[in-house]
Amino acid sequence: MKQLLILTALLFLGGNQLLAQFNTGRFGSMGGGGGGTSKMQRDTSKHDHEPDTLTLTYRYLGEPTDFTIDSSVADFNLDFLKVPANYMTLGNSGSAARNLIFTPLMKPGFDAGFHAYDVYGNSHSTARFYNTNRPYSEMNYLVGSKQEQVIGITHTQNRTERFNFAFDYRKVNAPGYYRTQNTNHDTYRFTARYQSKNKRANSYLSFYYNKINGGENGGIKSDTFLNNPTFKQKRTIEVNLGNKEVSTYGFFGTSIPVKSQYKETGLLFQQQYDWGRGDSIHINDTTDYYKYDPVFRVQYTLNYQSNDYQFIDTRPEKDFYITRYGLDATNAENVTAQHKWKLLSNDISLVQFPVIGNLGHFINVGARYETISGTFLDADINFSNLALHGEYRNKTRNKQWDFSARGELYLAGQNNGDYSISGMLRRHLNDLLGDIKLTVNNVNREPSYVYKYFNSNKTTWYNYDLKKENITQLQFAAENKKLKYNLAVNYWLYTNYTYFEDAYHSKQASGLFNLLQVILSKKINVASFAWYMDFAFQQVHGNGPVNVPALWTRHRFAFEKRLYTNLNLMTGIELKYNTSYFADDYSPLLGQFTYQNAYKVRYNAPDIAAFAHFRIKSFSAFVRAENLNTFFATNNMVAPLYPLNDFDFRLGLRWWFIN
């Protein structure tokens, strides 16, 4: 420990100029923002490469843009934890979380409605399909106070020029500072892509498995305990769930007496076959390159998902269930709830490329048939959907313009009448003025199923009077790499907004209301000093049942400098703060954040962290002292009866290897 403290002190003597990214939801193809970052992609135009030369790019399914690996160490939340700074958790690493910058679900069709742990899991939309000239591996390890540990492993390689596979594994395990707060997550992902020798056939495979175990303690009994010296050790404070049991900690075998247990499996296979024009390009006397430009494509996509959402309480606290849910659990051995869903969809699409050689310019029309089945503790349900979809995209080869128009309509089935339409126009003005983007989205959707029906072994709740929600988003966004800022202005309009008015009753807003958001990320440099600032302003107009902080902000004051040849160092102070507001409560039995206007959450002081981040070639380290504000102020609350942790020390390590 003594050597570690000495190392931490030395790290605070210098820093390096590394740019960060502020996550406002990956502005379409505009990226996550924040200016230039150090990339692990080198010039491959020469024939003589260094032994460790790596050219690695990846794409997302259906997106024609190539991305490169980001080796920045500026943003610990985004670059290492994979949880954006504008997300709040219920106090512990890996616990239920939501975005403080309010973002509704803009997805037509069926949705189960369990999203409190989404930020930790994998999905097909975030699957990366790589192309690399050398095998690449990455390892992440974090150790924190109270035995918190995080492990991450990534590997990808091209077995041939036409076949690539990638594997990801991530584990989050944290006992937490309060009782029954343990988390234990295991997430797996496998992706592969294959291209035939004549380049006419392309295959993509995406598989993920998320096993989420989140301890649910229902919050502490009273926030007055935080100021009581008797409870200096936070684990001695009584909580609302799990007082009768003691969790047993093990990195691969944690026992959690009261928990949300989510098991999500996804398998997607996409096959493409192209008609077009091929040609052999002569490079030198011994090398020819075969180039194929598709004109017309037939695309088939198979998507299978199996999701099991459970709540398990092995020794119920009767007072909590009577007060919150009206359930008599006096003689109950346990309280459980379950939604189990399976979805199978088949999609056929026809794609045309009007301009030879530009895969970013296409017209896509198709149809999708879905079969969905649900299993509950007392019933089963089966239904199907038929949807039509289309897209026009024109991303010019000179990268000056990017335009898209998309539409999807559910013609028949359970979600008949659901639709989404969107349009986006992006223009690169010049290097000084940067890029601007205009976006419009409109979604008409059936409310998520958890709002209509929920079942436990004690009772069942129904609400079949819900109408379709209608949500419109108007956005202006700007990105400027030269002036180092990102700006997004969102204007949301809601009709029939669906929410939980208490721990288990769903309801819809009766009228139209709107929400204005202004989100800004900016970096200022003065010599070797940098100021990273993030702001989000939000204001609700009308009588909408949405509570948001009027202002959320994060500031990182850092000293950055390159030392010697390879040591990139960044050290400083990080502050996070949001204005007081009626923060959503949390219902453990349903796994949902719920509307309330009785308890106002106030910050006693900004969340303060001191950090020293550095990178030496392919090795990065994150040394952090977090929640320093708890030395002079009471723990900040993130939701009613859910406080943040005490002082927390974290050490995160990241290596990448070129095999």
Side-chain angles (χ1 to χ4, degrees):
M1 186 64 181
K2 180 179 179 181
Q3 292 84 348
L4 186 58
L5 293 175
I6 294 174
L7 175 61
T8 304
L10 290 174
L11 294 179
F12 273 84
L13 297 177
N16 173 60
Q17 187 175 22
L18 291 168
L19 303 180
Q21 294 184 345
F22 172 53
N23 180 39
T24 57
R26 206 176 76 219
F27 293 152
S29 60
M30 291 183 68
T37 52
S38 176
K39 307 293 182 183
M40 290 184 290
Q41 182 181 20
R42 303 186 182 182
D43 181 14
T44 58
S45 61
K46 297 181 181 180
H47 295 290
D48 297 327
H49 296 298
E50 301 175 41
D52 64 345
T53 297
L54 173 69
T55 301
L56 187 152
T57 60
Y58 63 88
R59 288 189 177 186
Y60 298 101
L61 202 64
E63 170 59 49
T65 304
D66 285 326
F67 298 90
T68 53
I69 296 293
D70 187 356
S71 60
S72 170
V73 295
D75 192 338
F76 173 72
N77 288 83
L78 197 59
D79 299 331
F80 193 92
L81 287 184
K82 313 301 182 185
V83 178
N86 45 293
Y87 270 72
M88 57 130 284
T89 72
L90 292 182
N92 191 25
S93 178
S95 60
R98 65 181 180 87
N99 195 346
L100 289 175
I101 303 174
F102 186 76
T103 307
L105 181 65
M106 300 284 283
K107 174 184 172 293
F110 170 78
D111 177 70
F114 297 88
H115 300 291
Y117 291 89
D118 278 1
V119 72
Y120 309 108
N122 295 317
S123 67
H124 294 311
S125 62
T126 58
R128 294 180 176 183
F129 296 90
Y130 292 91
N131 185 26
T132 177
N133 67 326
R134 298 176 65 87
Y136 169 82
S137 302
E138 181 178 318
M139 296 185 64
N140 299 272
Y141 180 71
L142 177 142
V143 61
S145 300
K146 301 298 181 182
Q147 298 179 294
E148 175 191 8
Q149 294 186 78
V150 177
I151 290 179
I153 300 172
T154 298
H155 177 76
T156 182
Q157 61 175 287
N158 280 35
R159 295 300 299 170
T160 67
E161 291 184 357
R162 303 191 303 274
F163 176 72
N164 172 277
F165 74 88
F167 172 77
D168 290 300
Y169 170 72
R170 189 169 181 85
K171 185 175 188 68
V172 177
N173 191 292
Y177 282 68
Y178 301 86
R179 295 186 191 178
T180 323
Q181 201 184 36
N182 304 46
T183 59
N184 188 24
H185 307 335
D186 295 277
T187 59
Y188 307 81
R189 189 206 303 274
F190 178 82
T191 62
R193 62 165 188 83
Y194 172 79
Q195 186 176 59
S196 63
K197 187 174 182 179
N198 62 7
K199 299 189 176 183
R200 297 183 66 175
N202 297 278
S203 301
Y204 297 90
L205 176 68
S206 170
F207 170 82
Y208 66 82
Y209 176 65
N210 302 323
K211 185 179 179 181
I212 306 293
N213 289 283
E216 305 285 12
N217 64 13
I220 60 178
K221 291 270 188 174
S222 172
D223 56 6
T224 60
F225 293 154
L226 297 173
N227 294 312
N228 191 330
T230 306
F231 302 106
K232 186 175 182 180
Q233 291 294 326
K234 296 299 187 290
R235 195 169 287 273
T236 61
I237 296 177
E238 281 202 358
V239 294
N240 285 303
L241 293 173
N243 287 306
K244 299 176 183 178
E245 289 281 354
V246 178
S247 301
T248 59
Y249 171 75
F251 187 64
F252 292 102
T254 298
S255 171
I256 308 175
V258 188
K259 64 180 178 179
S260 290
Q261 180 176 278
Y262 295 175
K263 296 179 181 179
E264 302 172 322
T265 303
L267 175 66
L268 183 146
F269 176 74
Q270 186 174 99
Q271 178 68 49
Q272 302 170 345
Y273 192 82
D274 297 339
W275 287 264
R277 185 175 65 188
D279 191 19
S280 293
I281 300 175
H282 185 70
I283 298 177
N284 53 45
D285 293 339
T286 60
T287 306
D288 288 332
Y289 173 75
Y290 182 72
K291 185 176 184 295
Y292 188 83
D293 294 316
V295 175
F296 182 75
R297 170 178 295 168
V298 176
Q299 178 175 289
Y300 167 73
T301 305
L302 171 71
N303 185 7
Y304 170 79
Q305 295 180 36
S306 176
N307 301 322
D308 186 355
Y309 306 107
Q310 296 185 56
F311 172 84
I312 304 169
D313 186 350
T314 56
R315 295 190 65 181
E317 303 271 356
K318 63 178 183 179
D319 292 341
F320 180 80
Y321 288 102
I322 291 175
T323 303
R324 296 290 296 275
Y325 302 100
L327 300 180
D328 185 3
T330 304
N331 298 315
E333 294 184 1
N334 58 66
V335 173
T336 60
Q338 183 178 42
H339 273 213
K340 196 172 184 178
W341 295 97
K342 291 184 179 180
L343 179 147
L344 177 65
S345 73
N346 292 272
D347 187 292
I348 290 288
S349 297
L350 305 177
V351 187
Q352 184 182 14
F353 301 93
V355 178
I356 297 292
N358 184 9
L359 297 182
H361 187 186
F362 60 84
I363 302 170
N364 182 332
V365 295
R368 181 175 64 256
Y369 182 75
E370 304 171 343
T371 58
I372 301 163
S373 62
T375 302
F376 317 107
L377 295 178
D378 66 343
D380 295 334
I381 187 173
N382 295 277
F383 55 89
S384 59
N385 285 315
L386 175 64
L388 302 180
H389 58 85
E391 178 181 3
Y392 174 74
R393 180 76 179 269
N394 186 2
K395 186 172 185 177
T396 59
R397 281 182 285 191
N398 62 9
K399 300 181 180 180
Q400 301 297 304
W401 292 91
D402 191 357
F403 171 76
S404 71
R406 301 179 184 179
E408 185 174 15
L409 173 63
Y410 279 76
L411 284 180
Q414 177 76 20
N415 295 94
N416 179 33
D418 283 19
Y419 70 80
S420 69
I421 54 174
S422 64
M424 182 273 293
L425 177 64
R426 175 192 174 195
R427 167 66 172 163
H428 176 72
L429 301 176
N430 52 51
D431 291 340
L432 177 62
L433 299 178
D435 296 2
I436 60 171
K437 188 179 76 163
L438 300 174
T439 303
V440 57
N441 293 307
N442 178 251
V443 173
N444 197 66
R445 62 182 301 273
E446 193 83 11
S448 298
Y449 207 85
V450 70
Y451 293 107
K452 297 187 291 184
Y453 173 85
F454 189 80
N455 169 250
S456 75
N457 64 337
K458 290 299 174 184
T459 189
T460 301
W461 304 298
Y462 301 88
N463 188 349
Y464 288 136
D465 297 327
L466 300 177
K467 302 175 183 178
K468 290 186 182 295
E469 296 179 300
N470 192 278
I471 307 170
T472 300
Q473 178 195 20
L474 305 174
Q475 184 191 79
F476 168 81
E479 179 186 29
N480 193 307
K481 295 181 179 180
K482 189 175 184 65
L483 299 180
K484 301 176 184 177
Y485 75 82
N486 277 352
L487 173 67
V489 180
N490 293 310
Y491 188 71
W492 304 91
L493 296 96
Y494 303 90
T495 303
N496 295 331
Y497 175 75
T498 311
Y499 65 102
F500 282 101
E501 63 175 341
D502 57 30
Y504 61 98
H505 289 115
S506 62
K507 191 176 180 180
Q508 283 189 318
S510 58
L512 174 71
F513 70 95
N514 53 67
L515 171 65
L516 174 66
Q517 292 175 334
V518 181
I519 305 165
L520 174 66
S521 176
K522 168 68 177 165
K523 181 185 178 185
I524 297 176
N525 283 99
V526 179
S528 296
F529 294 91
W531 178 11
Y532 297 84
M533 60 182 79
D534 302 319
F535 293 95
F537 170 79
Q538 302 179 98
Q539 187 174 46
V540 178
H541 298 273
N543 296 320
V546 173
N547 289 324
V548 293
L551 177 67
W552 174 88
T553 185
R554 176 177 66 151
H555 299 269
R556 286 165 289 164
F557 302 95
F559 178 68
E560 303 175 329
K561 195 173 182 64
R562 172 171 292 181
L563 301 178
Y564 308 106
T565 303
N566 298 311
L567 177 60
N568 298 310
L569 213 57
M570 173 183 176
T571 182
I573 299 293
E574 178 177 319
L575 308 174
K576 285 198 299 185
Y577 178 80
N578 60 258
T579 53
S580 60
Y581 74 113
F582 292 103
D584 285 352
D585 202 351
Y586 180 71
S587 174
L589 184 58
L590 275 68
Q592 305 293 319
F593 287 96
T594 64
Y595 176 77
Q596 64 90 25
N597 56 6
Y599 184 101
K600 181 170 283 191
V601 169
R602 296 176 173 85
Y603 261 41
N604 301 302
D607 292 331
I608 304 174
F611 63 87
H613 303 166
F614 71 86
R615 179 167 62 87
I616 304 174
K617 291 188 175 180
S618 60
F619 173 78
S620 299
F622 302 81
V623 183
R624 298 178 62 85
E626 300 183 341
N627 300 326
L628 296 174
N629 48 291
T630 58
F631 286 118
F632 58 86
T634 306
N635 304 59
N636 287 322
M637 307 290 286
V638 293
L641 302 179
Y642 284 96
L644 287 175
N645 292 336
D646 285 345
F647 169 75
D648 194 3
F649 176 82
R650 280 172 156 177
L651 173 64
L653 307 175
R654 178 188 181 192
W655 301 268
W656 57 85
F657 309 94
I658 304 172
N659 301 331

